[in-house]
Amino acid sequence: MDSQDPVVMTEPRPGVLLITLNRPRVRNAINHTLADAMDAALTRLDAAPSLAIGILTGAGGHFCSGMDLRAFPTDGIPLVADRGLAGLTRARLRKPLIAAVEGAAVAGGFELALACDLITAADTAFFALPEVARGLVAAEGGAIRLPGRLPYHVAMEMLLTAASLPAPDAARYGLVNQLTREGQALHAALSLAERVQANSRDAVHVTKQIVQDTRGLDDHTAYTVQDPLSAPVFTTTTATEGATAFTEKRPPAWQR
């Protein structure tokens, strides 16, 4: 990477914003410069009417090795406002985000992947939360999200011993949506994005918001949160078209 290259590259494709972490010499470690650039890219994704979904990946054969430990002693954790590490781990993005993982997704890099809605991974990739081995804590979602997504004892082994999890095992546990050959994670993510985009944008985005806003709530409370979000969707012309297309056994207008 040339010193003048952007630390985060963005490439708009039809309906998709491809976001690439671009510090390959340090396995895309996150410093404050990268964090600010990624936050700007995520803000662009959520604000652009032409974009329905984002894909997050890393340059140079690795996803992300977490925060830049060389910079940490002087600069601290590269947090962005109330949106967490690199503007993602505590963010409430309206649009779905897919992580396309090659190589290492460790520490904060794994926490970035856990903050995404879908994950594709090469069969040579691996995940780890080695913070305890460095005298740190997986404080940007690792210790919160992982025990709910893996068998408890597997998650605790990763958190307490710094053990790594190969992508094939992650896929077996359901942590990875699609496992691919090395070098094909981005291709799989683009295919997955096409499948998401084949559906109504309003329905996709509201569904994501309901999931975000009701996680951890009891059923009664969750319905009181869900109903004001879902009710307007049922009154749209998109919903009417979807129902009509189903009864007429044809694709809905947005798929033609």
Side-chain angles (χ1 to χ4, degrees):
M1 183 185 77
D2 187 273
S3 60
Q4 301 304 311
D5 289 342
V7 295
V8 172
M9 300 185 296
T10 57
E11 179 186 350
R13 301 192 180 192
V16 178
L17 184 65
L18 176 57
I19 302 169
T20 304
L21 308 180
N22 191 37
R23 299 186 72 210
R25 292 180 183 173
V26 288
R27 294 188 174 185
N28 303 313
I30 306 164
N31 59 11
H32 281 280
T33 302
L34 186 149
D36 289 341
M38 182 170 161
D39 182 59
L42 294 171
T43 299
R44 174 186 175 188
L45 167 65
D46 246 20
S50 62
L51 299 172
I53 189 168
I55 295 174
L56 176 63
T57 193
H62 289 282
F63 182 70
C64 179
S65 62
M67 70 176 178
D68 191 333
L69 293 183
R70 290 187 178 88
F72 169 69
T74 54
D75 296 346
I77 302 173
L79 301 175
V80 179
D82 60 348
R83 296 181 293 283
L85 184 69
L88 177 58
T89 52
R90 306 187 190 202
R92 301 184 66 79
L93 296 180
R94 188 168 60 92
K95 298 175 182 177
L97 191 61
I98 303 172
V101 177
E102 299 277 351
V106 301
F110 189 16
E111 291 178 315
L112 295 186
L114 288 171
C116 293
D117 302 289
L118 301 160
I119 299 176
T120 64
D123 55 13
T124 52
F126 63 96
F127 304 91
L129 291 169
E131 281 86 345
V132 293
R134 300 165 184 167
L136 302 170
V137 173
E140 281 306 307
I144 295 171
R145 294 184 170 108
L146 197 62
R149 302 188 190 183
L150 288 178
Y152 177 81
H153 296 97
V154 175
M156 293 306 289
E157 181 178 0
M158 293 186 69
L159 287 164
L160 301 182
T161 74
S164 64
L165 182 71
D169 290 339
R172 180 165 57 87
Y173 288 127
L175 188 65
V176 168
N177 296 89
Q178 291 189 22
L179 190 68
T180 74
R181 297 190 306 276
E182 185 174 5
Q184 295 299 306
L186 178 56
H187 177 76
L190 288 166
S191 297
L192 197 53
E194 287 183 5
R195 288 171 53 197
V196 174
Q197 286 199 90
N199 300 307
S200 159
R201 276 193 194 186
D202 287 343
V204 166
H205 296 163
V206 171
T207 297
K208 173 170 178 176
Q209 185 176 358
I210 290 170
V211 172
Q212 287 186 142
D213 291 356
T214 60
R215 287 182 67 187
L217 301 179
D218 64 86
D219 286 357
H220 176 75
T221 305
Y223 278 115
T224 66
V225 174
Q226 171 200 265
D227 291 349
L229 297 172
S230 62
V233 174
F234 288 89
T235 64
T236 63
T237 56
T238 300
T240 302
E241 164 62 12
T244 302
F246 175 79
T247 60
E248 295 177 354
K249 298 182 179 179
R250 61 171 175 80
W254 60 83
Q255 291 183 4
R256 299 202 299 269

